[in-house]
Amino acid sequence: MIALTSPSADNATLVTVVDARQRALAVYRVDSLSGKIKLLSVRNLQWDLQMVHLNSESPSPQEIRSLLEPR
């Protein structure tokens, strides 16, 4: 597992936990004053990671591949 922290806009800390084996991601908010932890989001990444591209600009991965393939 990998854990990453980042500050949030409301003076709390966001903790992102990545489980590479399960291919899952969880995001928690830790209140700086009380120490309370709240689970904000959980996502299984299995299907996300099988996409070729999403919301990307040109050139797309397919366009780059076609330029690099031998003719």
Side-chain angles (χ1 to χ4, degrees):
M1 283 200 206
I2 300 168
L4 307 163
T5 61
S6 60
S8 70
D10 61 352
N11 207 22
T13 300
L14 297 177
V15 178
T16 303
V17 178
V18 180
D19 184 336
R21 184 176 297 159
Q22 297 287 331
R23 293 186 172 182
L25 168 76
V27 179
Y28 299 87
R29 180 188 178 277
V30 181
D31 187 281
S32 299
L33 297 175
S34 68
K36 289 183 181 180
I37 299 172
K38 180 178 181 180
L39 176 62
L40 299 179
S41 182
V42 175
R43 185 167 182 140
N44 183 305
L45 303 173
Q46 177 181 352
W47 303 112
D48 294 7
L49 297 175
Q50 292 184 34
M51 296 182 66
V52 176
H53 66 94
L54 175 68
N55 294 333
S56 61
E57 297 180 11
S58 278
S60 71
Q62 290 92 343
E63 292 169 328
I64 295 170
R65 183 176 180 182
S66 70
L67 293 171
L68 297 174
E69 288 179 337
R71 297 180 183 211

XYZ file of all heavy atoms in Angstrom:
553
model
N 0.829 -1.179 0.000
C 0.000 0.000 0.000
C 0.874 1.242 0.000
O 1.965 1.247 0.539
C -0.902 0.019 1.221
C -2.062 -0.892 1.113
S -3.307 -0.360 2.274
C -4.113 -1.898 2.506
N 0.320 2.278 -0.592
C 0.990 3.573 -0.650
C 0.037 4.603 -0.057
O -1.161 4.590 -0.364
C 1.316 3.946 -2.109
C 2.225 2.901 -2.744
C 1.935 5.337 -2.178
C 2.353 3.049 -4.244
N 0.541 5.482 0.784
C -0.269 6.559 1.357
C 0.369 7.896 1.012
O 1.573 8.074 1.168
C -0.387 6.398 2.864
N -0.448 8.815 0.538
C 0.008 10.157 0.174
C -0.834 11.163 0.942
O -2.036 10.957 1.133
C -0.180 10.396 -1.326
C 0.422 9.346 -2.246
C -0.163 9.467 -3.632
C 1.920 9.532 -2.283
N -0.215 12.252 1.375
C -0.960 13.294 2.072
C -0.879 14.598 1.298
O 0.097 14.856 0.590
C -0.419 13.528 3.500
O 0.933 13.957 3.413
C -0.514 12.273 4.344
N -1.930 15.408 1.455
C -1.932 16.738 0.861
C -2.862 17.622 1.692
O -3.837 17.134 2.265
C -2.388 16.694 -0.599
O -3.693 16.173 -0.691
N -2.550 18.908 1.748
C -3.422 19.814 2.496
C -4.724 20.037 1.723
O -4.747 19.983 0.501
C -2.611 21.102 2.585
C -1.663 21.036 1.442
C -1.390 19.585 1.180
N -5.802 20.270 2.455
C -7.067 20.617 1.802
C -7.343 22.095 2.023
O -6.703 22.745 2.857
C -8.214 19.763 2.347
O -8.510 20.128 3.670
N -8.291 22.620 1.306
C -8.601 24.052 1.380
C -9.186 24.454 2.726
O -9.112 25.615 3.107
C -9.564 24.422 0.262
N -9.737 23.506 3.477
C -10.396 23.829 4.742
C -9.533 23.508 5.963
O -10.044 23.189 7.023
C -11.739 23.128 4.839
C -11.614 21.617 4.791
O -10.505 21.104 4.530
O -12.620 20.934 5.014
N -8.221 23.589 5.799
C -7.278 23.396 6.908
C -7.293 21.986 7.487
O -7.043 21.785 8.666
C -7.501 24.440 8.014
C -6.234 24.699 8.804
O -5.134 24.448 8.319
N -6.377 25.182 10.020
N -7.604 21.021 6.656
C -7.538 19.621 7.041
C -6.462 18.965 6.177
O -5.814 19.631 5.366
C -8.882 18.936 6.829
N -6.279 17.668 6.349
C -5.326 16.924 5.535
C -6.074 15.839 4.777
O -6.925 15.152 5.345
C -4.242 16.273 6.415
O -3.555 17.306 7.119
C -3.245 15.485 5.593
N -5.770 15.702 3.497
C -6.327 14.612 2.708
C -5.295 13.490 2.663
O -4.112 13.735 2.405
C -6.658 15.075 1.293
C -7.732 16.153 1.177
C -7.902 16.557 -0.290
C -9.044 15.682 1.760
N -5.736 12.294 2.933
C -4.867 11.126 2.873
C -5.411 10.219 1.774
O -6.574 9.806 1.816
C -4.831 10.365 4.212
C -3.947 9.136 4.101
C -4.350 11.276 5.332
N -4.579 9.941 0.787
C -4.949 9.048 -0.303
C -4.201 7.731 -0.107
O -2.980 7.731 0.035
C -4.575 9.664 -1.662
O -5.222 10.930 -1.781
C -5.000 8.769 -2.811
N -4.950 6.647 -0.084
C -4.361 5.324 0.095
C -4.566 4.547 -1.194
O -5.694 4.429 -1.686
C -5.012 4.575 1.283
C -4.425 3.180 1.423
C -4.835 5.375 2.568
N -3.479 4.030 -1.742
C -3.530 3.243 -2.964
C -3.125 1.814 -2.618
O -2.049 1.585 -2.063
C -2.568 3.814 -4.037
C -2.622 2.982 -5.308
C -2.878 5.279 -4.318
N -4.001 0.882 -2.940
C -3.706 -0.539 -2.755
C -3.419 -1.112 -4.131
O -4.341 -1.357 -4.917
C -4.885 -1.249 -2.096
C -4.603 -2.709 -1.792
O -3.737 -3.320 -2.450
O -5.266 -3.253 -0.891
N -2.149 -1.287 -4.452
C -1.752 -1.745 -5.782
C -2.214 -3.172 -6.048
O -2.574 -3.505 -7.176
C -0.241 -1.644 -5.946
N -2.225 -3.993 -5.044
C -2.649 -5.386 -5.229
C -4.133 -5.467 -5.574
O -4.527 -6.198 -6.472
C -2.359 -6.214 -3.974
C -2.695 -7.688 -4.173
C -2.327 -8.520 -2.987
N -0.886 -8.461 -2.794
C -0.276 -8.740 -1.649
N -0.982 -9.100 -0.607
N 1.026 -8.682 -1.551
N -4.951 -4.699 -4.865
C -6.392 -4.696 -5.113
C -6.795 -3.735 -6.231
O -7.941 -3.724 -6.655
C -7.139 -4.292 -3.836
C -6.973 -5.241 -2.691
C -7.746 -6.528 -2.901
O -8.771 -6.555 -3.558
N -7.239 -7.608 -2.345
N -5.835 -2.896 -6.660
C -6.100 -1.849 -7.657
C -7.247 -0.960 -7.197
O -8.228 -0.751 -7.912
C -6.377 -2.437 -9.028
C -5.176 -3.104 -9.630
C -5.437 -3.545 -11.023
N -4.195 -4.015 -11.602
C -4.088 -4.440 -12.826
N -5.126 -4.451 -13.618
N -2.934 -4.851 -13.287
N -7.089 -0.447 -5.979
C -8.134 0.385 -5.383
C -7.523 1.646 -4.793
O -6.341 1.692 -4.466
C -8.869 -0.393 -4.309
N -8.363 2.657 -4.645
C -7.952 3.962 -4.151
C -8.988 4.428 -3.136
O -10.186 4.282 -3.354
C -7.911 4.935 -5.342
C -7.782 6.414 -5.099
C -6.346 6.753 -4.724
C -8.161 7.168 -6.359
N -8.527 4.975 -2.018
C -9.420 5.537 -1.010
C -8.882 6.908 -0.606
O -7.671 7.106 -0.522
C -9.501 4.636 0.213
N -9.790 7.852 -0.369
C -9.405 9.197 0.049
C -10.102 9.513 1.375
O -11.313 9.328 1.506
C -9.792 10.259 -1.006
C -9.402 11.659 -0.539
C -9.149 9.943 -2.351
N -9.297 9.966 2.343
C -9.796 10.304 3.669
C -9.508 11.769 3.951
O -8.516 12.311 3.485
C -9.088 9.471 4.750
C -9.296 7.987 4.620
C -8.461 7.217 3.818
C -10.313 7.360 5.322
C -8.643 5.848 3.711
C -10.504 5.992 5.221
C -9.663 5.244 4.412
O -9.843 3.897 4.308
N -10.366 12.382 4.773
C -10.139 13.741 5.270
C -9.864 13.639 6.761
O -10.649 13.054 7.506
C -11.362 14.617 5.035
C -11.193 16.031 5.525
C -12.509 16.799 5.437
N -12.338 18.142 5.949
C -12.395 18.464 7.235
N -12.630 17.553 8.156
N -12.231 19.723 7.615
N -8.734 14.187 7.199
C -8.364 14.177 8.610
C -8.469 15.606 9.121
O -7.760 16.499 8.645
C -6.937 13.636 8.822
C -6.598 13.605 10.305
C -6.786 12.247 8.198
N -9.369 15.833 10.074
C -9.563 17.163 10.652
C -8.358 17.523 11.503
O -7.966 16.772 12.399
C -10.838 17.189 11.490
C -11.173 18.580 11.962
O -10.540 19.042 12.942
O -12.057 19.202 11.352
N -7.766 18.675 11.234
C -6.540 19.093 11.927
C -6.765 19.371 13.408
O -5.864 19.180 14.220
C -5.964 20.344 11.265
O -5.642 20.081 9.928
N -7.945 19.832 13.776
C -8.206 20.180 15.168
C -8.670 18.986 15.995
O -8.152 18.734 17.081
C -9.250 21.304 15.244
C -8.830 22.620 14.603
C -9.975 23.619 14.635
C -7.599 23.186 15.283
N -9.635 18.232 15.484
C -10.203 17.131 16.276
C -9.519 15.797 16.018
O -9.625 14.882 16.828
C -11.692 16.991 15.971
O -11.873 16.527 14.638
N -8.861 15.668 14.881
C -8.247 14.393 14.520
C -9.226 13.392 13.929
O -8.850 12.273 13.604
N -10.489 13.790 13.767
C -11.488 12.888 13.198
C -11.139 12.565 11.751
O -10.677 13.427 11.003
C -12.881 13.508 13.271
C -13.431 13.578 14.669
C -14.850 14.128 14.655
C -15.390 14.208 16.065
N -16.770 14.749 16.073
N -11.398 11.317 11.391
C -11.105 10.841 10.038
C -12.422 10.518 9.352
O -13.275 9.823 9.918
C -10.210 9.587 10.073
C -8.883 9.919 10.757
C -9.979 9.049 8.666
C -8.018 8.708 11.014
N -12.578 11.023 8.128
C -13.794 10.764 7.361
C -13.406 10.182 6.006
O -12.570 10.751 5.296
C -14.587 12.051 7.162
C -15.867 11.853 6.381
C -16.642 13.143 6.252
C -17.929 12.885 5.472
N -18.703 14.121 5.324
N -14.006 9.057 5.666
C -13.793 8.460 4.352
C -14.593 9.266 3.333
O -15.811 9.408 3.460
C -14.248 7.001 4.349
C -14.170 6.259 3.016
C -12.734 6.186 2.513
C -14.759 4.860 3.160
N -13.915 9.819 2.327
C -14.568 10.647 1.315
C -14.929 9.867 0.059
O -15.964 10.098 -0.558
C -13.676 11.827 0.923
C -13.311 12.816 2.021
C -12.398 13.897 1.471
C -14.560 13.416 2.643
N -14.040 8.949 -0.337
C -14.253 8.282 -1.612
C -13.449 6.988 -1.675
O -12.344 6.914 -1.139
C -13.823 9.220 -2.743
O -14.045 8.639 -3.995
N -14.018 5.999 -2.341
C -13.327 4.730 -2.599
C -13.608 4.362 -4.046
O -14.716 4.562 -4.537
C -13.837 3.591 -1.685
C -13.189 2.270 -2.056
C -13.579 3.909 -0.233
N -12.596 3.850 -4.716
C -12.799 3.464 -6.112
C -11.911 2.301 -6.486
O -10.723 2.289 -6.175
C -12.486 4.650 -7.026
C -12.784 4.350 -8.478
C -12.782 5.600 -9.284
N -13.124 5.292 -10.654
C -13.896 6.043 -11.386
N -14.396 7.147 -10.889
N -14.163 5.724 -12.626
N -12.488 1.323 -7.151
C -11.732 0.236 -7.743
C -11.237 0.738 -9.097
O -12.021 1.222 -9.911
C -12.626 -0.997 -7.920
C -11.861 -2.174 -8.455
O -11.217 -2.088 -9.493
N -11.933 -3.277 -7.763
N -9.939 0.636 -9.334
C -9.336 1.196 -10.542
C -9.195 0.209 -11.688
O -8.681 0.558 -12.747
C -7.951 1.758 -10.198
C -7.921 2.813 -9.100
C -6.491 3.151 -8.744
C -8.685 4.040 -9.511
N -9.635 -1.023 -11.483
C -9.419 -2.073 -12.481
C -9.858 -1.641 -13.879
O -9.101 -1.741 -14.838
C -10.165 -3.338 -12.087
C -10.034 -4.439 -13.118
C -10.793 -5.687 -12.731
O -11.307 -5.794 -11.631
N -10.866 -6.631 -13.638
N -11.061 -1.135 -14.003
C -11.567 -0.774 -15.331
C -10.985 0.550 -15.806
O -10.761 0.737 -17.006
C -13.093 -0.738 -15.317
C -13.648 -2.060 -14.880
C -14.315 -2.316 -13.713
C -13.517 -3.310 -15.551
N -14.615 -3.658 -13.633
C -14.135 -4.292 -14.753
C -12.941 -3.711 -16.749
C -14.196 -5.627 -15.106
C -13.007 -5.046 -17.106
C -13.631 -5.986 -16.288
N -10.731 1.470 -14.886
C -10.102 2.747 -15.266
C -8.772 2.501 -15.960
O -8.441 3.143 -16.956
C -9.846 3.620 -14.036
C -11.111 4.090 -13.350
O -12.207 3.655 -13.732
O -10.986 4.899 -12.419
N -7.986 1.582 -15.406
C -6.635 1.352 -15.915
C -6.616 0.612 -17.245
O -5.564 0.508 -17.882
C -5.816 0.581 -14.869
C -5.617 1.336 -13.553
C -4.914 0.456 -12.535
C -4.863 2.626 -13.767
N -7.758 0.125 -17.703
C -7.822 -0.558 -18.994
C -8.204 0.395 -20.133
O -8.180 0.011 -21.294
C -8.799 -1.721 -18.923
C -8.288 -2.818 -18.018
C -9.184 -4.019 -18.013
O -9.798 -4.352 -19.022
N -9.246 -4.689 -16.884
N -8.512 1.637 -19.790
C -8.863 2.615 -20.828
C -7.596 3.075 -21.547
O -6.536 3.186 -20.930
C -9.571 3.818 -20.199
C -10.894 3.448 -19.580
S -11.745 4.857 -18.902
C -12.087 5.777 -20.375
N -7.734 3.334 -22.815
C -6.592 3.804 -23.602
C -6.351 5.284 -23.354
O -5.229 5.723 -23.178
C -6.815 3.531 -25.106
C -5.676 4.105 -25.928
C -6.960 2.048 -25.346
N -7.432 6.080 -23.311
C -7.310 7.499 -22.976
C -8.686 8.048 -22.636
O -9.702 7.529 -23.068
C -6.645 8.312 -24.088
C -7.437 8.392 -25.357
N -8.293 9.421 -25.636
C -7.512 7.556 -26.416
C -8.847 9.229 -26.821
N -8.395 8.100 -27.309
N -8.702 9.118 -21.865
C -9.933 9.801 -21.483
C -9.593 11.261 -21.242
O -8.634 11.564 -20.519
C -10.523 9.189 -20.211
C -11.744 9.895 -19.633
C -12.947 9.723 -20.565
C -12.064 9.372 -18.249
N -10.337 12.131 -21.863
C -10.132 13.579 -21.705
C -8.716 14.012 -22.069
O -8.180 14.937 -21.485
C -10.450 14.032 -20.270
C -11.900 13.863 -19.933
O -12.754 13.899 -20.800
N -12.181 13.667 -18.669
N -8.118 13.332 -23.018
C -6.775 13.736 -23.431
C -6.861 14.506 -24.748
O -7.806 14.367 -25.511
C -5.864 12.516 -23.587
O -6.374 11.642 -24.573
N -5.872 15.332 -24.966
C -5.837 16.137 -26.176
C -5.030 15.425 -27.248
O -4.345 14.449 -26.989
C -5.219 17.497 -25.851
C -6.035 18.289 -24.844
C -5.423 19.636 -24.524
O -4.488 20.063 -25.226
O -5.889 20.257 -23.567
N -5.113 15.946 -28.448
C -4.327 15.394 -29.552
C -2.857 15.660 -29.320
O -2.506 16.702 -28.751
C -4.741 16.035 -30.877
O -5.893 15.423 -31.379
N -2.027 14.755 -29.707
C -2.340 13.498 -30.363
C -2.784 12.438 -29.354
O -2.274 12.375 -28.241
C -1.016 13.095 -31.022
C 0.030 13.717 -30.164
C -0.579 14.981 -29.617
N -3.725 11.610 -29.766
C -4.199 10.513 -28.924
C -3.150 9.400 -28.925
O -2.261 9.368 -29.798
C -5.520 9.968 -29.459
O -5.308 9.264 -30.671
N -3.230 8.471 -27.988
C -2.288 7.349 -28.002
C -2.319 6.570 -29.317
O -1.279 6.142 -29.809
C -2.754 6.481 -26.827
C -3.387 7.448 -25.884
C -4.063 8.453 -26.769
N -3.500 6.417 -29.909
C -3.581 5.696 -31.183
C -2.875 6.462 -32.300
O -2.221 5.865 -33.156
C -5.052 5.462 -31.592
C -5.761 4.475 -30.724
C -6.484 5.156 -29.562
O -6.208 6.307 -29.217
N -7.389 4.436 -28.942
N -2.990 7.798 -32.293
C -2.322 8.607 -33.314
C -0.805 8.506 -33.180
O -0.091 8.376 -34.185
C -2.761 10.068 -33.214
C -4.209 10.289 -33.590
C -4.731 11.667 -33.242
O -4.258 12.252 -32.228
O -5.613 12.146 -33.959
N -0.310 8.543 -31.968
C 1.136 8.412 -31.749
C 1.606 7.038 -32.195
O 2.623 6.901 -32.883
C 1.485 8.652 -30.270
C 1.173 10.099 -29.891
C 2.948 8.305 -29.976
C 1.242 10.389 -28.407
N 0.859 6.015 -31.825
C 1.228 4.647 -32.203
C 1.293 4.509 -33.720
O 2.213 3.887 -34.250
C 0.225 3.653 -31.619
C 0.564 2.228 -31.909
C -0.407 1.296 -31.238
N -0.049 -0.074 -31.527
C -0.737 -1.094 -31.097
N -1.806 -0.938 -30.360
N -0.365 -2.317 -31.410
N 0.317 5.065 -34.422
C 0.314 4.930 -35.891
C 1.522 5.645 -36.513
O 2.025 5.223 -37.546
C -0.992 5.454 -36.480
O -1.061 6.853 -36.358
N 2.003 6.723 -35.872
C 3.181 7.421 -36.388
C 4.455 6.622 -36.161
O 5.417 6.744 -36.920
C 3.308 8.787 -35.729
C 2.235 9.830 -36.060
C 2.377 11.039 -35.152
C 2.338 10.230 -37.528
N 4.485 5.832 -35.106
C 5.702 5.113 -34.741
C 5.776 3.708 -35.329
O 6.849 3.116 -35.366
C 5.810 5.016 -33.209
C 5.930 6.354 -32.498
C 5.887 6.151 -30.982
C 7.192 7.065 -32.908
N 4.655 3.166 -35.778
C 4.667 1.808 -36.334
C 5.376 1.812 -37.687
O 5.230 2.745 -38.475
C 3.241 1.293 -36.513
C 2.574 0.958 -35.205
C 1.137 0.476 -35.387
O 0.500 0.785 -36.421
O 0.653 -0.202 -34.469
N 6.139 0.748 -37.933
C 6.803 0.640 -39.246
C 5.777 0.535 -40.362
O 4.724 -0.026 -40.194
C 7.623 -0.643 -39.143
C 7.294 -1.269 -37.849
C 6.380 -0.375 -37.085
N 6.138 1.114 -41.478
C 5.196 1.088 -42.628
C 5.600 0.064 -43.633
O 6.595 -0.388 -43.833
C 5.137 2.454 -43.265
C 4.600 3.416 -42.244
C 4.488 4.792 -42.760
N 4.029 5.605 -41.630
C 3.291 6.638 -41.758
N 2.894 7.031 -42.925
N 2.923 7.325 -40.718
